[in-house]
Each structure stands twice: as structure tokens, then as C-alpha cells.
Amino acid sequence: SFHLVELPSAVHNGRPVHDARGSVLDPADCIQHGSLELSRFAPVSAASCRMGKPAPVPLDVKIDPKRCMGTWYVQYAIPAAAFIEKGAHNGTEQYNYDDATGKVTVTYTFNEGSFDGPINRSAQRGRVSPKSINGTIWNVKPIIGPCVFPVWLDYLVIDLDTAAYSYLTASAPGGWWLYVMTRDQEVTDASLEPRLEVLKQFGFDCSLLTRMPQKAS
């Protein structure tokens, strides 16, 4: 069976989450300790989304986490630690599953400041939450230098193409960070409108949404 999933930094990234001991974990503490890494990209207009307090819930359908492996490109985000990835371009998540260990390694890369900027890399450990029946609640532990963050942070899969696995939207409980990702690197705003409609149904304020610049090499 599938044991571990590495998740976007997001993740890189509200309502407080709980640590493994059940204590409330203040998101500000996570940011202070460098555990949350999200990008500040160029702001975009998403007037079709209504403003309100987000109430995201994990997708209520069973998924195959192994089909979430491979490459994902960040298209939209609500960043929590924007100072870490300010000006990021070509944000990419690469998931690699090790059949021998049942583990996954993930590398998050982006170009700093422009499409030709220096490449920034970071990594995480993760898993499908033991409390998740459908495989749509994940946990993450960011890796900061030689250290691994000591508690699991919840990561909710709230929107997914369960047929072709061509898009995936992930959010923190309470919606204080969010990623919309696709398999294709360059996609039109029009093709992403249905994903924004889902966010609208969860009550996201999409004026906070930012668009990740993407350009295939």
C-alpha cells in the first residue's frame, strides 16, 4: 500500500492547524521557523470568485495517491510566506516514488525573479494522513537545512481531476494557503476558470489569488 506522499512547499502554506499531539499550531509560528514556503507571484484579477471566509474540505471521493506522482506546475496560489519565494517563476513540484521503501521524494524548484533567474530548490517529507479514508488528507514536514520540521501539517486535496489527474488543488485547513496546479506547464486563464469556480464554492476570496508565471523551455 502507499504510505508516504511528499507535498508542495506550499506548501510551500487561516485557521490554526493541529500538531501530532493535538495542540493548536499557530501558522505564524510555522512561518517564523521557515516551515511554510509559498510564492508571491504577480497579482491577478479573479472577480468571478466571491469574497468570504474559506471553508475548504477534502475531496469526498477515493483517489490513488500514486497517480499524483510526477511533475506539477503551480498556476495560482494564495501564499502564506511570500517573502521566501517573492518573484518566483516556473514553480514546479517533482514527486518521485520509491517502490523499495514506499517513500516519495519531492523537489520544489523555481527561478528567482525571472524566467532566467537562479534556480531555487527545496524539499519536504510527507504522507497520506492515517485519518484519511479517501487519501485526500495529507500531512507534510518541511525540510529546513539539515532539520525536518517536528510536526505534521495538514494538506487538503480539495479539487482533483480523478479521471486523468491533470489538475490538483491543495489547501490548508481554513484556506490560509492554497495551490492550483496542472500537469501542463502553460495553460490559459480560461482553462483555469472551472478551478476558480470550485474555490468560489468554498468561499475563497480570489482577490488574494496570484498567478504563477510559467514558460516552457
Side-chain angles (χ1 to χ4, degrees), residues 68-120:
C68 296
M69 300 299 100
T71 303
W72 291 101
Y73 298 100
V74 177
Q75 302 297 341
Y76 284 105
I78 296 178
F83 62 93
I84 296 176
E85 298 173 21
K86 183 178 180 180
H89 287 57
N90 283 345
T92 305
E93 287 284 340
Q94 183 66 45
Y95 299 77
N96 294 302
Y97 181 75
D98 186 339
D99 285 309
T101 63
K103 297 180 179 179
V104 175
T105 58
V106 166
T107 303
Y108 176 61
T109 63
F110 63 87
N111 293 94
E112 298 177 358
S114 70
F115 290 117
D116 299 320
I119 295 177
N120 186 302

Short mmCIF file of all heavy atoms in Angstrom, two decimals, residues 68-120:
data_model
loop_
_atom_site.label_atom_id
_atom_site.label_comp_id
_atom_site.label_asym_id
_atom_site.label_seq_id
_atom_site.Cartn_x
_atom_site.Cartn_y
_atom_site.Cartn_z
N CYS A 68 -0.74 10.79 -8.27
CA CYS A 68 -0.36 12.19 -8.03
C CYS A 68 1.15 12.39 -8.16
O CYS A 68 1.64 13.51 -7.99
CB CYS A 68 -0.83 12.65 -6.65
SG CYS A 68 -2.62 12.65 -6.44
N MET A 69 1.87 11.31 -8.45
CA MET A 69 3.31 11.43 -8.61
C MET A 69 3.63 12.09 -9.95
O MET A 69 2.79 12.23 -10.82
CB MET A 69 3.96 10.05 -8.55
CG MET A 69 3.74 9.29 -7.24
SD MET A 69 4.41 10.13 -5.78
CE MET A 69 2.92 10.89 -5.12
N GLY A 70 4.90 12.50 -10.10
CA GLY A 70 5.33 13.14 -11.33
C GLY A 70 5.46 14.65 -11.17
O GLY A 70 5.73 15.15 -10.08
N THR A 71 5.27 15.37 -12.25
CA THR A 71 5.51 16.81 -12.28
C THR A 71 4.21 17.60 -12.22
O THR A 71 3.25 17.29 -12.94
CB THR A 71 6.27 17.20 -13.56
OG1 THR A 71 7.50 16.47 -13.62
CG2 THR A 71 6.57 18.69 -13.59
N TRP A 72 4.19 18.62 -11.36
CA TRP A 72 3.07 19.55 -11.27
C TRP A 72 3.61 20.98 -11.42
O TRP A 72 4.67 21.31 -10.88
CB TRP A 72 2.37 19.44 -9.92
CG TRP A 72 1.62 18.17 -9.70
CD1 TRP A 72 2.02 17.08 -8.97
CD2 TRP A 72 0.31 17.85 -10.20
NE1 TRP A 72 1.05 16.11 -8.99
CE2 TRP A 72 -0.01 16.55 -9.74
CE3 TRP A 72 -0.61 18.53 -10.99
CZ2 TRP A 72 -1.21 15.92 -10.05
CZ3 TRP A 72 -1.82 17.90 -11.29
CH2 TRP A 72 -2.11 16.61 -10.82
N TYR A 73 2.83 21.81 -12.12
CA TYR A 73 3.19 23.22 -12.29
C TYR A 73 2.18 24.10 -11.54
O TYR A 73 0.97 23.97 -11.74
CB TYR A 73 3.20 23.59 -13.77
CG TYR A 73 4.22 22.81 -14.56
CD1 TYR A 73 3.84 21.70 -15.33
CD2 TYR A 73 5.57 23.15 -14.53
CE1 TYR A 73 4.76 20.97 -16.04
CE2 TYR A 73 6.51 22.44 -15.25
CZ TYR A 73 6.11 21.34 -16.00
OH TYR A 73 7.03 20.61 -16.71
N VAL A 74 2.69 24.97 -10.69
CA VAL A 74 1.83 25.87 -9.93
C VAL A 74 1.28 26.95 -10.86
O VAL A 74 2.04 27.63 -11.56
CB VAL A 74 2.59 26.53 -8.76
CG1 VAL A 74 1.71 27.52 -8.02
CG2 VAL A 74 3.14 25.47 -7.82
N GLN A 75 -0.05 27.12 -10.87
CA GLN A 75 -0.69 28.13 -11.73
C GLN A 75 -1.25 29.29 -10.92
O GLN A 75 -1.10 30.45 -11.32
CB GLN A 75 -1.80 27.47 -12.56
CG GLN A 75 -1.33 26.33 -13.44
CD GLN A 75 -0.32 26.75 -14.50
OE1 GLN A 75 -0.22 27.92 -14.83
NE2 GLN A 75 0.43 25.79 -15.04
N TYR A 76 -1.91 29.00 -9.82
CA TYR A 76 -2.44 30.02 -8.92
C TYR A 76 -2.06 29.66 -7.49
O TYR A 76 -1.91 28.48 -7.16
CB TYR A 76 -3.97 30.12 -9.00
CG TYR A 76 -4.53 30.81 -10.21
CD1 TYR A 76 -5.11 30.08 -11.24
CD2 TYR A 76 -4.53 32.20 -10.30
CE1 TYR A 76 -5.64 30.71 -12.34
CE2 TYR A 76 -5.06 32.83 -11.41
CZ TYR A 76 -5.62 32.08 -12.43
OH TYR A 76 -6.15 32.72 -13.52
N ALA A 77 -1.96 30.68 -6.64
CA ALA A 77 -1.66 30.40 -5.24
C ALA A 77 -2.17 31.52 -4.35
O ALA A 77 -2.31 32.66 -4.78
CB ALA A 77 -0.16 30.23 -5.03
N ILE A 78 -2.46 31.17 -3.12
CA ILE A 78 -2.60 32.14 -2.02
C ILE A 78 -1.40 31.89 -1.12
O ILE A 78 -1.38 30.93 -0.35
CB ILE A 78 -3.92 31.97 -1.25
CG1 ILE A 78 -5.11 32.26 -2.16
CG2 ILE A 78 -3.94 32.91 -0.04
CD1 ILE A 78 -6.46 32.05 -1.48
N PRO A 79 -0.36 32.71 -1.22
CA PRO A 79 0.87 32.45 -0.47
C PRO A 79 0.77 32.85 0.98
O PRO A 79 0.11 33.83 1.31
CB PRO A 79 1.92 33.29 -1.21
CG PRO A 79 1.13 34.40 -1.82
CD PRO A 79 -0.23 33.84 -2.14
N ALA A 80 1.44 32.10 1.83
CA ALA A 80 1.50 32.42 3.25
C ALA A 80 2.84 33.04 3.62
O ALA A 80 2.90 33.96 4.43
CB ALA A 80 1.26 31.17 4.10
N ALA A 81 3.91 32.53 3.05
CA ALA A 81 5.25 33.05 3.34
C ALA A 81 5.83 33.63 2.05
O ALA A 81 6.81 33.14 1.51
CB ALA A 81 6.15 31.95 3.89
N ALA A 82 5.19 34.70 1.58
CA ALA A 82 5.55 35.25 0.28
C ALA A 82 6.98 35.73 0.21
O ALA A 82 7.59 35.73 -0.86
CB ALA A 82 4.59 36.41 -0.05
N PHE A 83 7.54 36.12 1.34
CA PHE A 83 8.90 36.65 1.35
C PHE A 83 9.92 35.61 0.93
O PHE A 83 11.01 35.95 0.46
CB PHE A 83 9.25 37.19 2.74
CG PHE A 83 9.22 36.14 3.83
CD1 PHE A 83 10.36 35.46 4.19
CD2 PHE A 83 8.02 35.84 4.47
CE1 PHE A 83 10.33 34.49 5.19
CE2 PHE A 83 7.98 34.87 5.47
CZ PHE A 83 9.13 34.20 5.82
N ILE A 84 9.60 34.34 1.07
CA ILE A 84 10.55 33.28 0.74
C ILE A 84 10.67 33.11 -0.77
O ILE A 84 11.77 32.90 -1.30
CB ILE A 84 10.15 31.95 1.40
CG1 ILE A 84 10.22 32.08 2.92
CG2 ILE A 84 11.05 30.80 0.93
CD1 ILE A 84 9.74 30.86 3.66
N GLU A 85 9.56 33.20 -1.48
CA GLU A 85 9.56 32.94 -2.92
C GLU A 85 9.11 34.15 -3.72
O GLU A 85 8.57 34.01 -4.82
CB GLU A 85 8.68 31.74 -3.24
CG GLU A 85 9.16 30.46 -2.60
CD GLU A 85 8.18 29.31 -2.78
OE1 GLU A 85 7.36 29.37 -3.70
OE2 GLU A 85 8.24 28.37 -1.98
N LYS A 86 9.33 35.33 -3.20
CA LYS A 86 8.93 36.54 -3.91
C LYS A 86 9.56 36.58 -5.30
O LYS A 86 10.76 36.39 -5.46
CB LYS A 86 9.35 37.78 -3.11
CG LYS A 86 8.90 39.08 -3.75
CD LYS A 86 9.31 40.27 -2.89
CE LYS A 86 8.85 41.59 -3.52
NZ LYS A 86 9.25 42.74 -2.68
N GLY A 87 8.71 36.81 -6.31
CA GLY A 87 9.20 36.90 -7.68
C GLY A 87 9.45 35.57 -8.35
O GLY A 87 10.10 35.51 -9.40
N ALA A 88 8.95 34.47 -7.77
CA ALA A 88 9.20 33.14 -8.34
C ALA A 88 8.56 32.98 -9.71
O ALA A 88 7.46 33.48 -9.96
CB ALA A 88 8.68 32.07 -7.40
N HIS A 89 9.26 32.30 -10.60
CA HIS A 89 8.76 31.94 -11.93
C HIS A 89 8.94 30.43 -12.11
O HIS A 89 9.85 29.82 -11.54
CB HIS A 89 9.54 32.67 -13.03
CG HIS A 89 9.22 34.12 -13.16
ND1 HIS A 89 9.36 35.02 -12.11
CD2 HIS A 89 8.79 34.85 -14.23
CE1 HIS A 89 9.03 36.24 -12.53
NE2 HIS A 89 8.68 36.16 -13.81
N ASN A 90 8.08 29.83 -12.92
CA ASN A 90 8.20 28.41 -13.28
C ASN A 90 8.23 27.50 -12.05
O ASN A 90 9.02 26.55 -11.99
CB ASN A 90 9.44 28.16 -14.14
CG ASN A 90 9.25 28.59 -15.58
OD1 ASN A 90 8.13 28.82 -16.04
ND2 ASN A 90 10.35 28.70 -16.31
N GLY A 91 7.36 27.76 -11.08
CA GLY A 91 7.28 26.90 -9.90
C GLY A 91 6.88 25.49 -10.29
O GLY A 91 5.85 25.29 -10.94
N THR A 92 7.68 24.52 -9.88
CA THR A 92 7.48 23.13 -10.28
C THR A 92 7.66 22.19 -9.10
O THR A 92 8.62 22.32 -8.34
CB THR A 92 8.48 22.73 -11.38
OG1 THR A 92 8.38 23.65 -12.47
CG2 THR A 92 8.21 21.32 -11.88
N GLU A 93 6.72 21.24 -8.96
CA GLU A 93 6.83 20.18 -7.96
C GLU A 93 7.12 18.87 -8.67
O GLU A 93 6.40 18.49 -9.59
CB GLU A 93 5.52 20.04 -7.18
CG GLU A 93 5.24 21.15 -6.20
CD GLU A 93 6.08 21.04 -4.93
OE1 GLU A 93 6.57 19.94 -4.65
OE2 GLU A 93 6.22 22.05 -4.24
N GLN A 94 8.18 18.17 -8.25
CA GLN A 94 8.52 16.87 -8.82
C GLN A 94 8.41 15.80 -7.74
O GLN A 94 9.10 15.87 -6.72
CB GLN A 94 9.93 16.88 -9.39
CG GLN A 94 10.35 15.59 -10.06
CD GLN A 94 9.54 15.31 -11.32
OE1 GLN A 94 9.32 16.20 -12.13
NE2 GLN A 94 9.08 14.07 -11.47
N TYR A 95 7.52 14.82 -7.96
CA TYR A 95 7.29 13.74 -7.00
C TYR A 95 7.90 12.44 -7.54
O TYR A 95 7.60 12.04 -8.66
CB TYR A 95 5.79 13.52 -6.79
CG TYR A 95 5.04 14.71 -6.25
CD1 TYR A 95 4.70 15.78 -7.08
CD2 TYR A 95 4.64 14.76 -4.92
CE1 TYR A 95 4.01 16.87 -6.59
CE2 TYR A 95 3.95 15.84 -4.42
CZ TYR A 95 3.64 16.89 -5.26
OH TYR A 95 2.96 17.98 -4.76
N ASN A 96 8.71 11.79 -6.74
CA ASN A 96 9.34 10.53 -7.15
C ASN A 96 9.08 9.45 -6.09
O ASN A 96 9.50 9.60 -4.94
CB ASN A 96 10.84 10.72 -7.34
CG ASN A 96 11.15 11.66 -8.50
OD1 ASN A 96 10.75 11.42 -9.63
ND2 ASN A 96 11.86 12.74 -8.22
N TYR A 97 8.41 8.40 -6.51
CA TYR A 97 8.04 7.31 -5.61
C TYR A 97 9.08 6.21 -5.65
O TYR A 97 9.51 5.77 -6.72
CB TYR A 97 6.66 6.76 -6.00
CG TYR A 97 6.17 5.65 -5.10
CD1 TYR A 97 5.70 5.93 -3.83
CD2 TYR A 97 6.18 4.33 -5.54
CE1 TYR A 97 5.24 4.91 -3.00
CE2 TYR A 97 5.71 3.30 -4.72
CZ TYR A 97 5.26 3.60 -3.45
OH TYR A 97 4.82 2.59 -2.64
N ASP A 98 9.49 5.73 -4.49
CA ASP A 98 10.46 4.64 -4.37
C ASP A 98 9.71 3.38 -3.97
O ASP A 98 9.26 3.24 -2.83
CB ASP A 98 11.51 5.00 -3.32
CG ASP A 98 12.64 3.99 -3.24
OD1 ASP A 98 12.44 2.83 -3.67
OD2 ASP A 98 13.72 4.36 -2.75
N ASP A 99 9.58 2.46 -4.92
CA ASP A 99 8.85 1.22 -4.64
C ASP A 99 9.51 0.39 -3.55
O ASP A 99 8.84 -0.32 -2.80
CB ASP A 99 8.73 0.38 -5.91
CG ASP A 99 7.68 0.95 -6.86
OD1 ASP A 99 6.55 1.20 -6.42
OD2 ASP A 99 8.01 1.14 -8.05
N ALA A 100 10.83 0.48 -3.46
CA ALA A 100 11.55 -0.34 -2.49
C ALA A 100 11.26 0.10 -1.06
O ALA A 100 11.16 -0.73 -0.16
CB ALA A 100 13.05 -0.28 -2.77
N THR A 101 11.12 1.40 -0.85
CA THR A 101 10.92 1.92 0.51
C THR A 101 9.49 2.36 0.76
O THR A 101 9.10 2.57 1.91
CB THR A 101 11.84 3.12 0.76
OG1 THR A 101 11.49 4.18 -0.15
CG2 THR A 101 13.30 2.73 0.55
N GLY A 102 8.69 2.50 -0.30
CA GLY A 102 7.34 3.02 -0.14
C GLY A 102 7.31 4.50 0.18
O GLY A 102 6.29 5.01 0.64
N LYS A 103 8.42 5.19 -0.07
CA LYS A 103 8.52 6.61 0.21
C LYS A 103 8.58 7.43 -1.07
O LYS A 103 8.85 6.90 -2.15
CB LYS A 103 9.75 6.90 1.07
CG LYS A 103 9.71 6.23 2.44
CD LYS A 103 10.96 6.56 3.24
CE LYS A 103 10.91 5.91 4.62
NZ LYS A 103 12.13 6.22 5.41
N VAL A 104 8.36 8.72 -0.91
CA VAL A 104 8.40 9.64 -2.04
C VAL A 104 9.35 10.78 -1.70
O VAL A 104 9.37 11.28 -0.58
CB VAL A 104 7.01 10.21 -2.34
CG1 VAL A 104 7.07 11.27 -3.44
CG2 VAL A 104 6.06 9.09 -2.73
N THR A 105 10.14 11.16 -2.69
CA THR A 105 10.95 12.37 -2.54
C THR A 105 10.38 13.44 -3.46
O THR A 105 9.90 13.13 -4.56
CB THR A 105 12.41 12.13 -2.90
OG1 THR A 105 12.50 11.64 -4.25
CG2 THR A 105 13.05 11.12 -1.97
N VAL A 106 10.38 14.67 -2.98
CA VAL A 106 9.85 15.78 -3.76
C VAL A 106 10.86 16.90 -3.81
O VAL A 106 11.47 17.24 -2.80
CB VAL A 106 8.54 16.32 -3.15
CG1 VAL A 106 8.19 17.67 -3.74
CG2 VAL A 106 7.41 15.35 -3.38
N THR A 107 11.03 17.46 -4.97
CA THR A 107 11.87 18.64 -5.14
C THR A 107 11.01 19.76 -5.70
O THR A 107 10.36 19.59 -6.73
CB THR A 107 13.05 18.37 -6.08
OG1 THR A 107 13.80 17.27 -5.58
CG2 THR A 107 13.94 19.59 -6.18
N TYR A 108 10.98 20.88 -5.00
CA TYR A 108 10.28 22.07 -5.48
C TYR A 108 11.31 23.04 -6.01
O TYR A 108 12.28 23.38 -5.30
CB TYR A 108 9.49 22.72 -4.35
CG TYR A 108 8.81 24.00 -4.77
CD1 TYR A 108 7.86 24.01 -5.77
CD2 TYR A 108 9.13 25.21 -4.14
CE1 TYR A 108 7.23 25.19 -6.16
CE2 TYR A 108 8.50 26.39 -4.52
CZ TYR A 108 7.56 26.37 -5.53
OH TYR A 108 6.95 27.53 -5.91
N THR A 109 11.17 23.45 -7.26
CA THR A 109 12.11 24.38 -7.87
C THR A 109 11.38 25.57 -8.47
O THR A 109 10.23 25.46 -8.88
CB THR A 109 12.94 23.70 -8.97
OG1 THR A 109 12.06 23.27 -10.02
CG2 THR A 109 13.72 22.52 -8.43
N PHE A 110 12.07 26.71 -8.50
CA PHE A 110 11.57 27.87 -9.23
C PHE A 110 12.74 28.76 -9.60
O PHE A 110 13.82 28.68 -8.99
CB PHE A 110 10.54 28.65 -8.41
CG PHE A 110 11.07 29.24 -7.12
CD1 PHE A 110 11.68 30.48 -7.10
CD2 PHE A 110 10.97 28.54 -5.93
CE1 PHE A 110 12.16 31.02 -5.92
CE2 PHE A 110 11.45 29.07 -4.74
CZ PHE A 110 12.05 30.33 -4.73
N ASN A 111 12.53 29.59 -10.61
CA ASN A 111 13.52 30.60 -10.98
C ASN A 111 13.27 31.86 -10.18
O ASN A 111 12.14 32.33 -10.09
CB ASN A 111 13.44 30.91 -12.47
CG ASN A 111 13.87 29.75 -13.34
OD1 ASN A 111 13.05 28.96 -13.78
ND2 ASN A 111 15.17 29.63 -13.58
N GLU A 112 14.32 32.42 -9.61
CA GLU A 112 14.19 33.61 -8.78
C GLU A 112 14.12 34.88 -9.63
O GLU A 112 15.05 35.18 -10.38
CB GLU A 112 15.37 33.71 -7.82
CG GLU A 112 15.47 32.55 -6.85
CD GLU A 112 16.70 32.65 -5.96
OE1 GLU A 112 17.49 33.60 -6.13
OE2 GLU A 112 16.86 31.78 -5.07
N GLY A 113 12.99 35.58 -9.54
CA GLY A 113 12.87 36.90 -10.13
C GLY A 113 12.52 36.99 -11.60
O GLY A 113 11.96 37.97 -12.04
N SER A 114 12.82 35.95 -12.37
CA SER A 114 12.54 35.96 -13.80
C SER A 114 12.63 34.54 -14.33
O SER A 114 13.07 33.63 -13.62
CB SER A 114 13.51 36.88 -14.55
OG SER A 114 14.80 36.30 -14.57
N PHE A 115 12.28 34.36 -15.60
CA PHE A 115 12.39 33.03 -16.19
C PHE A 115 13.84 32.56 -16.29
O PHE A 115 14.11 31.36 -16.35
CB PHE A 115 11.74 33.01 -17.58
CG PHE A 115 10.25 33.12 -17.54
CD1 PHE A 115 9.60 34.22 -18.13
CD2 PHE A 115 9.47 32.16 -16.93
CE1 PHE A 115 8.22 34.32 -18.10
CE2 PHE A 115 8.08 32.25 -16.89
CZ PHE A 115 7.46 33.35 -17.48
N ASP A 116 14.77 33.52 -16.33
CA ASP A 116 16.19 33.18 -16.44
C ASP A 116 16.92 33.31 -15.11
O ASP A 116 18.16 33.19 -15.07
CB ASP A 116 16.86 34.08 -17.48
CG ASP A 116 16.26 33.92 -18.87
OD1 ASP A 116 15.96 32.77 -19.24
OD2 ASP A 116 16.07 34.94 -19.56
N GLY A 117 16.20 33.55 -14.02
CA GLY A 117 16.83 33.76 -12.74
C GLY A 117 17.43 32.49 -12.16
O GLY A 117 17.18 31.38 -12.65
N PRO A 118 18.23 32.63 -11.11
CA PRO A 118 18.83 31.46 -10.45
C PRO A 118 17.77 30.48 -9.98
O PRO A 118 16.66 30.88 -9.61
CB PRO A 118 19.57 32.08 -9.25
CG PRO A 118 19.77 33.51 -9.60
CD PRO A 118 18.60 33.90 -10.45
N ILE A 119 18.10 29.20 -10.00
CA ILE A 119 17.15 28.17 -9.59
C ILE A 119 17.23 27.97 -8.08
O ILE A 119 18.30 27.79 -7.52
CB ILE A 119 17.43 26.84 -10.32
CG1 ILE A 119 17.19 27.01 -11.82
CG2 ILE A 119 16.54 25.72 -9.76
CD1 ILE A 119 17.52 25.78 -12.63
N ASN A 120 16.07 28.03 -7.43
CA ASN A 120 15.95 27.79 -6.00
C ASN A 120 15.31 26.41 -5.81
O ASN A 120 14.31 26.09 -6.45
CB ASN A 120 15.09 28.88 -5.37
CG ASN A 120 15.04 28.79 -3.86
OD1 ASN A 120 14.63 27.78 -3.29
ND2 ASN A 120 15.42 29.87 -3.19
#
